[in-house]
Every structure is written in structure tokens, then in C-alpha cells.
Amino acid sequence: MRTQARKLAAAGLTAAMTVTMLAACGTKATPENLLRDMSKRAEETESITANIKMELDVAASGESVRMGVDFDMETITEPEMSSAKGSVSLGSGDMDITMEMETYSEKKDDEYVIYTMMDDMWSVETADSAEMTADMGIVSEDFQKFSDRFELKDELVEVNGKDCFELTGELDGELLAQMMDEDMMSSFTGFGADESDLADMILPCTIDIYKDSILPARIYFDMGDSLFPLLEGLGMEKAECSVEMTFLEYDSVKEIVIPQEALEAEETSGDDWWYSDDDNDTDSAAVPIEPASQSADLGSTWSDYTVQINDTVITLPCTLEDIEKTGLTLDTDYTERDYLVDAGDYELAWFVDGNGNEIIVHMVNDSDGQKELQDCLAGGINVDSYSVEQGGITVLFPGGVQIGSDPQEAVNAYGEPDDLYEDAEYGNSYYWQEGSGLSGWCEIDTDPESGLVDSLYLICYE
């Protein structure tokens, strides 16, 4: 679930950027003329400033899972660059988590270099042009094909303080599916949809066009009714999904500057933004290890929410002091003890031992006001092979599952996973979850080479 939530988050931004490309079309008087003339004028613009919003809300068994994306974005055509700053939010029940995100993209030769910051960490990856952008001519032409499905509203509407024409109609999902890159597709395949499913969708769409300039003002997609038939078979009772882009200014951005810390970040391997290519080195890959001495206090199944660190067993959620009683210390170089965590939010904290091993802990503020990190509860623990390669540390999940275990040991202890994602390139991911919310779940990922457990997550947000 954590990976899916992350993919959803990364997919939401990609979807919005795709809509940016789709928006470069249009013009006046009739739907056909408006779409045609808007396309011509948009192709002449040199920069765009816009706001992107995406909202997803699904529910099952009375519980809902929510995701939101809200970004301010700038693009320039020469040199071809873009930037986006904003937030990604995830929620379930009374718990809401917000992550700040910043991304830059620049074209170098036939590739795009993408710099992304999440959780105060920068990563870099490259993608070819087919994955990161679309041919404006093709997009415009495809949009014009659907002009007979749109109606022009009699009255003008106001967007960004200006009068606009408004077209309402629908588009085939095939157009959206053709524009999707791998990250965006993954968000839908996680819900059981594939490219052919999306191609069969009919998507209600509203297009607002500035009257004075005949340029895109706002594009809004409502995808809930199209997604729900796919999700209903998975037990979902509700599915609401919308993507909205508001175009604020044209030709006002002269330069986009990529921060120095982004330029200095190490390149990652695409699918996992924080996952360094170095993690695939033989030295840090999961290897078979002898079972550590298991405490009698350690639970037998993941929903016991127990973790043994060295000789001490903790039960999530617990206090920061409980974590430090295991022999680990909060690394204040990353997060100070008095760091303020917003209500209903969480902050990642690194705990280290004397050998240089570390684990990541989710420090959760479940109150109605701000709290210092040291007063928050530890609601989640993550450990991976790279972070404990120095040795001399014991981290056992319920049932004795640890880095280097055969994943079948987890299946034997926890039962068949609620979800299983198999990937020969990046390894498999096993998920166990309580209910349909985000409050309790376990994830175990495997190393693609050895097939052994490479990382473990246990989350209990109460």
C-alpha cells in the first residue's frame, strides 16, 4: 500500500503534466473553430504558468482513501524546461498526511532529466521524450476530432478574473491512455485497470478558453463515473476522481533555475524515486543470513505490530524514547527533536547505531495541534538491506522475518498477501492490510537478483 500510495502520488503529478500538453489546443465561436484556433495560438506561446489539481477518493466497507495533488507549474519552450512546486496529500479516516514536492525537468539531447524532491531528499532520473512529452500537433489534431462532442455554453464564464468561452463534452479514454507514461499507468493498474480499460472509458471534460486571447484558461476532467465500474469489482463503493488545470499566465516566465542541491543529487532508477542504482550492488543486496535470536515477546503475525530491534521488542505505535531504548539514537542531522509536526501529519526520522546502521521511523502527530517530533508517536518502521549493511544490528518483524529471509517465511507467518506485485527488474512486493484504510499495513519487498527479502515496512497509525 505504501508503494501504491507513492505511485499514486508520482502518477498524479504526471497526469497533471500530461493535461498541460493536452491543453495546447483550441479557438473560437464554435467548438471546432475554438479548438482549432486555440491550438494555433498555444503553439506560439513561449511559456506557461499554471495551477494543477488532482483529487481521488475511493471508499469500501465504510472507509475511504483519499489522495490530492496541488501544484503550481511553469514551463518554457526555449530551452525546453519545466518546474512544479506543491503538495501531495494522502488520507484515510481521520488521518491526513501531506508531503511537499518539487520537481524540475530539462531537455538534454533526446532525453529529459527530471529532478524531484520529496521528504527533503532530491533524486535525479532520465526519460526519453516519448515518456515525458507529447507531439503538440498530434494532440491538437486528436482534440479537434472530438469537437462534435462538445457544446458551447451560451454565457461566458469567468476564470482567473477574465471572461472565457466554455465547452462541455466528452473524450475517449484512448486519447488519455496514449499520452500516459509508465508512472501514470501504474496508478490505474494498481486499481485493476490497464491501457485497454482506459481506452474504453468516456471522460466528461470541460474546456474554458480566454475570450481575449483564445488561449486555454482551464481544463477539467471528471473520471469518477468512468473508474467506478472497474473498481466496483474490487469491492469499492465509491470512486471520485478529477483533474483540473488552470492556466494563469502566458509568456511571463523568462527563465527556470534548477537548485544547486538538485543538480548535485545522485541519479536514481526511475520507478522508485529514492532508490539509488547503488542499491543493486552486490555488496548491499539481500543475502541469506542466519536467523537472529528471537525474543519470546515478538508477535507471530504482522498485525501484532511488534518489531524486535537488537534484544528489545517494541509495539507500534510507541514513543521516541521506546525506539531509543533499543540502542538506536535519533539522527538530529536529518530531523531535530523539537521539529514541529503539523496536526494529522507525520515526519520521517532516522535512527542510527554506533556502526552506522539506520532505520526510518514515521513519527506521527495524531493530535489537533502542532507537536514537537519528540512528543509524536512512532507509527511506522522501515528497514532495508542497504541501511543495515554495516552489520551488528538485529531487526526482526513478527514471525522472525528479517532482511535476507525467504519471502515464503512471511507468507507462512502472515497468510496469503492481500496484494502481490511481481516485477523481474525491481523485485516483488507483498502487501498485507487491515480493512481498506491506511492505518495498518505491512509491506515486504524482495531483491530482484536473490529473490530474498530486501526491505520491510510495518505501519500502525492509530
Side-chain angles (χ1 to χ4, degrees):
M1 190 67 181
R2 189 266 324 160
T3 298
Q4 188 57 30
R6 187 180 66 252
K7 287 184 177 179
L8 277 171
L13 177 59
T14 307
M17 295 179 77
T18 302
V19 174
T20 305
M21 302 305 180
L22 292 175
C25 55
T27 205
K28 64 184 179 195
T30 68
E32 181 178 5
N33 290 338
L34 281 169
L35 292 174
R36 183 194 64 215
D37 293 348
M38 186 176 72
S39 170
K40 293 179 181 178
R41 299 198 179 195
E43 290 175 356
E44 296 171 357
T45 62
E46 297 180 354
S47 73
I48 296 173
T49 300
N51 176 260
I52 302 161
K53 288 184 174 67
M54 179 177 179
E55 296 183 353
L56 175 68
D57 190 343
V58 296
S61 303
E63 295 189 49
S64 66
V65 177
R66 306 175 297 277
M67 188 200 79
V69 172
D70 191 343
F71 281 90
D72 292 322
M73 181 176 178
E74 295 180 344
T75 65
I76 58 176
T77 59
E78 191 62 43
E80 190 171 339
M81 298 180 69
S82 67
S83 69
K85 299 179 182 180
S87 61
V88 177
S89 60
L90 301 172
S92 177
D94 296 331
M95 176 63 68
D96 285 292
I97 298 170
T98 300
M99 297 174 287
E100 298 302 315
M101 183 174 176
E102 186 173 344
T103 184
Y104 296 83
S105 172
E106 63 174 337
K107 187 175 182 180
K108 291 186 176 181
D109 298 324
D110 294 330
E111 290 185 324
Y112 286 75
V113 182
I114 302 99
Y115 307 86
T116 304
M117 187 276 289
M118 288 186 71
D119 288 326
D120 297 322
M121 295 178 62
W122 283 97
S123 65
V124 186
E125 60 179 296
T126 58
D128 62 38
S129 58
E131 291 177 336
M132 290 307 299
T133 188
D135 184 316
M136 290 299 197
I138 295 175
V139 174
S140 303
E141 181 180 350
D142 283 345
F143 242 84
Q144 293 176 56
K145 290 178 183 177
F146 297 100
S147 61
D148 60 346
R149 296 190 185 181
F150 283 83
E151 294 183 358
L152 176 61
K153 189 174 181 178
D154 293 335
E155 301 84 11
L156 296 175
V157 299
E158 185 175 299
V159 177
N160 194 27
K162 298 180 181 180
D163 289 337
C164 297
F165 298 107
E166 182 165 276
L167 301 176
T168 57
E170 57 188 24
L171 297 171
D172 285 352
E174 181 178 3
L175 177 60
L176 191 57
Q178 290 173 351
M179 299 297 169
M180 285 184 183
D181 73 357
E182 186 175 336
D183 281 336
M184 184 178 177
M185 277 300 301
S186 69
S187 69
F188 292 98
T189 55
F191 287 128
D194 57 23
E195 187 171 348
S196 62
D197 292 322
L198 295 177
D200 293 335
M201 290 182 182
I202 300 298
L203 304 178
C205 180
T206 299
I207 304 175
D208 296 323
I209 304 167
Y210 287 121
K211 180 183 177 183
D212 58 353
S213 62
I214 313 299
L215 284 167
R218 172 181 173 270
I219 292 185
Y220 179 84
F221 284 99
D222 184 349
M223 303 175 64
D225 290 341
S226 301
L227 279 177
F228 183 70
L230 298 175
L231 303 182
E232 190 173 19
L234 301 176
M236 296 293 177
E237 300 162 353
K238 179 183 76 171
E240 298 177 356
C241 181
S242 63
V243 177
E244 179 182 33
M245 172 164 247
T246 304
F247 298 84
L248 303 174
E249 295 180 355
Y250 290 90
D251 296 333
S252 63
V253 181
K254 304 305 179 184
E255 181 183 23
I256 293 176
V257 179
I258 301 173
Q260 187 61 34
E261 56 266 34
L263 296 172
E264 295 174 353
E266 295 183 3
E267 185 168 349
T268 60
S269 58
D271 188 51
D272 291 323
W273 65 270
W274 80 98
Y275 188 84
S276 169
D277 286 337
D278 293 339
D279 292 350
N280 282 328
D281 292 344
T282 303
D283 290 343
S284 59
V287 295
I289 57 179
E290 292 297 324
S293 178
Q294 183 174 331
S295 170
D297 295 329
L298 186 66
S300 60
T301 188
W302 73 270
S303 54
D304 292 328
Y305 298 114
T306 55
V307 178
Q308 180 180 335
I309 301 175
N310 297 322
D311 297 323
T312 303
V313 174
I314 59 173
T315 301
L316 300 177
C318 64
T319 65
L320 184 148
E321 288 75 15
D322 290 331
I323 300 292
E324 292 191 326
K325 287 178 183 178
T326 67
L328 301 176
T329 303
L330 176 67
D331 188 344
T332 55
D333 287 340
Y334 285 95
T335 315
E336 296 287 347
R337 301 178 77 90
D338 59 358
Y339 179 88
L340 290 178
V341 182
D342 291 333
D345 204 349
Y346 80 97
E347 183 68 21
L348 295 181
W350 276 256
F351 287 78
V352 298
D353 67 6
N355 296 325
N357 299 298
E358 62 184 11
I359 66 170
I360 300 175
V361 177
H362 295 218
M363 299 302 297
V364 183
N365 179 3
D366 59 357
S367 71
D368 295 330
Q370 283 188 327
K371 272 189 177 182
E372 292 185 353
L373 183 105
Q374 60 190 347
D375 297 324
C376 294
L377 291 176
I381 286 181
N382 166 223
V383 59
D384 60 57
S385 60
Y386 180 78
S387 300
V388 295
E389 66 177 354
Q390 303 302 323
I393 186 172
T394 296
V395 182
L396 294 178
F397 272 37
V401 179
Q402 60 182 314
I403 299 298
S405 292
D406 187 318
Q408 187 60 43
E409 294 180 27
V411 175
N412 293 341
Y414 307 160
E416 291 298 322
D418 295 309
D419 287 299
L420 170 61
Y421 295 94
E422 298 179 292
D423 191 310
E425 183 177 1
Y426 296 107
N428 302 333
S429 295
Y430 299 74
Y431 301 88
W432 293 266
Q433 181 180 352
E434 282 194 321
S436 60
L438 294 175
S439 59
W441 52 271
C442 177
E443 175 186 340
I444 290 179
D445 302 319
T446 65
D447 172 61
E449 296 182 6
S450 67
L452 301 176
V453 173
D454 188 58
S455 67
L456 305 100
Y457 291 80
L458 188 61
I459 302 295
C460 182
Y461 289 173
E462 290 188 352

